[in-house]
Amino acid sequence: MTPTYLVTHSGGFHADELLSSVILTRLYPDARIVRSRAPEWITAGADRVVYDVGGAYDAEARIFDHHQRGAPVRDDGQPYSSFGLIWRHFGQDYLRAYGVPEAHVAAIHAAFDGHFVLPVDLVDNGALSPSTAGVLAGLTLPALLETLKPVFDETDPDAENRSFHTALAIARSFVEASIGKAAAKLRAEALVMSAIEAAGQGHILELPLGMPFRSAVVKAGADQLLFVVHPRDKDWCVTGIRRADEGFELRADLPAAWGGLTNADLEAASGVAGASFCHKGRFIAAARTREAALALAGIAVAEALAERADVAVVA
């Protein structure tokens, strides 16, 4: 039976039931959110999904709490919040409703659980302190969502519900943006893989437009690639490839002589007509035409390979 009600607790709200509500309201857009602790509401029923309240976890009865003794944990022992439980049971259907291709559903479901859902679960259960984020602790998503609660001396009896729905809209935007980017990354992967095949053993990867590329380059084992060239609005970019997911070290930097130059100065330094910009950090350059961008990339490759050869000789 399609639920008529989505039931969670009243009072102060947290990230886990807000984010659970994001998932459930897409799947059941006609259901009404009921925020209550009244026994007649927080008891399982055929007309509802109950989450983050109720003192039980019973997926068949559609009740998803995690505050009781014997609350469910993941296979590795890490705790669930209501968000983790809702994502576990409804996440794949949410992705399908969002329009994710079936071939990508399982991968995105697992990835989102690891990088988005699990941190919320851990913080909600006190297994991870936001303080681990240092000075950014107050800017984590759970902390920011809680800033939307009414202040302690708010006297309007409807303030909590209004604030909940305001926070729900914001939480929805973060979930949908994260899912959208994950789906786009997988779409990009197919395009990048095709471009890698076309590049062969060359050192320059040419893409039809700007897109995420590093994960596909790593998956393909294309260690020979040093720079990426792609169109951007009215010009073309030459971009370095990071060595690792973390940090900014590149497989190869653009030439030191180009750093911070623009237009005629960069044309003179590079010898490439149409060169228009090189960041002082030497991780990206721009040119007015495809031919100029490829020429810049070719010069950068030659210099990087020469430097490697010099290092090898010295060693």
Side-chain angles (χ1 to χ4, degrees):
M1 177 178 176
T2 300
T4 305
Y5 304 105
L6 305 175
V7 182
T8 191
H9 62 81
S10 56
F13 54 81
H14 304 95
D16 66 328
E17 77 266 24
L18 278 170
L19 294 163
S20 297
S21 300
V22 169
I23 305 307
L24 293 171
T25 53
R26 175 172 282 274
L27 290 174
Y28 307 114
D30 296 327
R32 178 165 68 91
I33 294 177
V34 175
R35 303 183 68 240
S36 175
R37 295 185 186 273
E40 63 268 25
W41 276 115
I42 64 174
T43 301
D47 62 349
R48 67 194 63 176
V49 178
V50 180
Y51 53 103
D52 207 40
V53 70
Y57 165 54
D58 185 340
E60 187 172 339
R62 295 194 296 200
I63 184 166
F64 302 92
D65 200 5
H66 69 104
H67 297 99
Q68 67 278 9
R69 289 186 178 184
V73 296
R74 287 175 164 80
D75 292 341
D76 60 4
Q78 297 191 96
Y80 284 106
S81 72
S82 63
F83 185 33
L85 294 174
I86 292 297
W87 185 252
R88 175 181 176 179
H89 291 281
F90 296 92
Q92 293 202 13
D93 286 339
Y94 169 88
L95 294 173
R96 295 183 183 101
Y98 187 76
V100 171
E102 187 64 35
H104 295 165
V105 165
I108 293 177
H109 184 266
F112 188 75
D113 183 70
H115 80 259
F116 195 114
V117 181
L118 177 60
V120 174
D121 286 356
L122 295 178
V123 169
D124 191 81
N125 282 285
L128 176 67
S129 171
S131 65
T132 59
V135 296
L136 296 176
L139 299 179
T140 61
L141 183 59
L144 288 173
L145 290 175
E146 289 197 30
T147 65
L148 300 172
K149 293 178 181 178
V151 294
F152 80 97
D153 53 357
E154 172 62 65
T155 58
D156 183 347
D158 196 43
E160 283 185 344
N161 281 334
R162 279 205 319 273
S163 297
F164 179 90
H165 285 281
T166 296
L168 176 59
I170 294 169
R172 187 186 314 282
S173 68
F174 279 104
V175 171
E176 292 184 350
S178 183
I179 295 297
K181 287 187 181 300
K185 186 175 181 180
L186 290 177
R187 294 196 304 274
E189 188 171 282
L191 295 172
V192 177
M193 286 295 189
S194 177
I196 290 171
E197 185 177 352
Q201 290 305 304
H203 302 289
I204 301 168
L205 178 67
E206 185 176 356
L207 298 176
L209 68 163
M211 65 184 72
F213 57 79
R214 187 178 180 280
S215 62
V217 168
V218 172
K219 181 182 286 189
D223 296 335
Q224 79 282 2
L225 292 172
L226 300 180
F227 296 99
V228 177
V229 172
H230 64 81
R232 180 190 64 179
D233 194 15
K234 297 180 180 179
D235 62 4
W236 286 71
C237 282
V238 181
T239 306
I241 300 173
R242 289 186 292 118
R243 290 186 181 274
D245 288 335
E246 301 297 328
F248 298 99
E249 185 181 2
L250 301 178
R251 294 181 175 186
D253 295 315
L254 293 165
W258 301 356
L261 299 183
T262 61
N263 300 320
D265 291 334
L266 181 57
E267 288 182 328
S270 65
V272 176
S276 58
F277 168 78
C278 181
H279 194 282
K280 65 180 181 181
R282 297 190 288 137
F283 59 87
I284 187 171
R288 295 182 184 87
T289 65
R290 172 179 177 269
E291 292 72 23
L294 289 171
L296 289 174
I299 294 167
V301 165
E303 181 169 310
L305 295 179
E307 289 177 356
R308 291 182 182 182
D310 290 344
V311 170
V313 169
V314 172

